Amino acid sequence: MDWTQRVRVRQLMTLIVLYESRNMTSAAAAVGMSQPAMSKWLYDLEADIGAKLFARTTRGFQPTHVCDELIVHARAVIGEMERSKRTIELAVQGAAASLVIGISPPAAPSLMPRTVHRFRVAHPTVHLEIRENSMDMLLPQLRIGQLDFCVVRVEKPIVDKNIRYELLYREEMRVVVGLKHPLAKKRRLDWREISQFDWIGPVAESPLRRELEHEFALAGESEPSYGIETSSMLMMAALLQKGTLVAAMSARMASYFESLCQVTTLPLKYRKQSGIGVLRPANAQLTPYKTAFLDALKTEAQLIDN
């Protein structure tokens, strides 16, 4: 019998614990095994697979490249099992299916509400869970199958054999301030002038942060210091109402808050352009409902882009 037919979910969970701890003793304690039992379990698993999963090196207990590859699939299996449990619970309650969508803040005010409305009109019994977070927090969830799609701001195409990427539309960045800010009425500005103010920064790993740093570099200026960092656009807009803070948002997000009379966009020369894209696991099956959601997403993206 092939080893894949014998492996159990608990074994995959044990492997993940060992992989993350890189320590036989602590991993054994975490899963309620003795160290000798853990060692025998690992020996038997390696014998089944026909390859070493861990090696003792000068840097300690290290996973091999075979283990690195296996862990990707182990996490995906565990993620799918967790999703299956939730899907069955929702099915019992009457849901036809369940989709979990991750979004970054730039997609929140325009693209996603319109997409959700379009999809729900056609498929009212499908349960949707929408998780908003920064891209660096969403990608790990996508990789292990906890998300069906991620709709996020991206600087450039994502090269990852486990993820499929598709650009939906181009999206520029804008620098914004509150309506009472000293710069709010300026008709001409350069990047040096705005670098002198206090900034609310996008979180360090976000595409928007890298775009902002790129704009400053193109202008020959050092990036500003960030007294506050947040991935929440609502928090950012609220903070801009007080004092002399400056922040960066996507162009459509800035337009949304301008329509609410909460911010004003500064007249700067913007040269960097990225986009809003959709990501999905490369090996995940596109069910009819997933296909329908993807179609709704692309339709609304095209309407926004036009």
Side-chain angles (χ1 to χ4, degrees):
M1 183 186 295
D2 186 272
W3 69 271
T4 58
Q5 296 176 295
R6 293 193 299 273
V7 72
R8 297 183 178 182
V9 172
R10 179 173 173 77
Q11 290 177 299
L12 295 178
M13 294 175 69
T14 300
L15 180 64
I16 292 170
V17 171
L18 183 57
Y19 182 86
E20 292 176 347
S21 69
R22 313 290 169 94
N23 183 284
M24 185 73 75
T25 302
S26 61
V31 299
M33 297 172 67
S34 66
Q35 185 173 334
M38 173 74 81
S39 296
K40 183 179 184 307
W41 167 82
L42 179 59
Y43 176 83
D44 290 341
L45 181 60
E46 290 177 328
D48 265 355
I49 293 173
K52 291 288 289 182
L53 296 177
F54 293 89
R56 296 191 179 277
T57 70
T58 54
R59 294 179 296 165
F61 195 62
Q62 296 295 320
T64 65
H65 76 281
V66 174
C67 189
D68 288 336
E69 290 295 320
L70 181 56
I71 283 295
V72 172
H73 297 286
R75 285 174 171 157
V77 169
I78 299 300
E80 285 294 332
M81 291 298 294
E82 292 174 354
R83 283 290 308 281
S84 296
K85 179 176 181 293
R86 177 59 175 158
T87 298
I88 294 304
E89 290 173 351
L90 290 168
V92 170
Q93 297 170 20
S98 172
L99 298 180
V100 185
I101 319 298
I103 63 169
S104 64
S110 55
L111 178 60
M112 283 308 296
R114 293 167 60 161
T115 298
V116 168
H117 176 72
R118 176 180 289 271
F119 180 80
R120 289 283 294 172
V121 167
H123 307 285
T125 60
V126 175
H127 180 273
L128 294 178
E129 179 180 343
I130 300 170
R131 303 177 184 176
E132 182 178 349
N133 215 320
S134 58
M135 184 172 168
D136 62 306
M137 299 299 290
L138 294 172
L139 277 180
Q141 297 179 54
L142 184 74
R143 288 192 174 101
I144 64 174
Q146 292 183 350
L147 299 175
D148 296 302
F149 300 103
C150 277
V151 184
V152 294
R153 186 179 183 86
V154 286
E155 301 166 272
K156 55 188 177 181
I158 293 177
V159 180
D160 187 322
K161 66 180 181 180
N162 298 308
I163 293 175
R164 290 187 179 178
Y165 161 80
E166 187 172 351
L167 178 68
L168 295 171
Y169 56 83
R170 296 289 178 186
E171 176 78 294
E172 295 180 342
M173 181 190 72
R174 294 289 182 264
V175 175
V176 297
V177 295
L179 300 182
K180 296 181 180 180
H181 194 282
L183 299 178
K185 303 297 183 181
K186 292 276 188 176
R187 294 188 176 184
R188 295 186 66 180
L189 281 170
D190 60 35
W191 290 87
R192 181 189 58 79
E193 291 177 87
I194 65 170
S195 67
Q196 310 305 311
F197 287 85
D198 295 329
W199 275 74
I200 308 171
V203 292
E205 299 302 318
S206 69
L208 192 61
R209 174 72 163 263
R210 291 189 289 270
E211 288 176 51
L212 181 60
E213 292 172 358
H214 194 174
E215 288 286 8
F216 273 104
L218 289 173
E221 299 290 336
S222 299
E223 65 176 296
S225 59
Y226 306 107
I228 305 170
E229 295 182 21
T230 180
S231 61
S232 170
M233 296 296 106
L234 288 173
M235 173 65 73
M236 193 175 287
L239 289 170
L240 289 173
Q241 309 308 306
K242 306 291 183 181
T244 58
L245 292 167
V246 181
M249 295 180 175
S250 68
R252 288 180 175 82
M253 180 70 77
S255 294
Y256 171 74
F257 284 114
E258 276 190 314
S259 71
L260 300 177
C261 298
Q262 293 184 358
V263 306
T264 187
T265 298
L266 297 183
L268 292 159
K269 182 179 180 180
Y270 301 93
R271 289 181 276 186
K272 188 75 174 70
Q273 187 180 78
S274 62
I276 300 296
V278 58
L279 314 176
R280 58 187 172 93
N283 297 323
Q285 179 185 3
L286 265 182
T287 64
Y289 289 122
K290 289 181 183 178
T291 300
F293 184 86
L294 194 57
D295 288 344
L297 186 65
K298 291 177 181 178
T299 298
E300 291 301 333
Q302 187 173 18
L303 292 173
I304 287 175
D305 201 28
N306 292 333

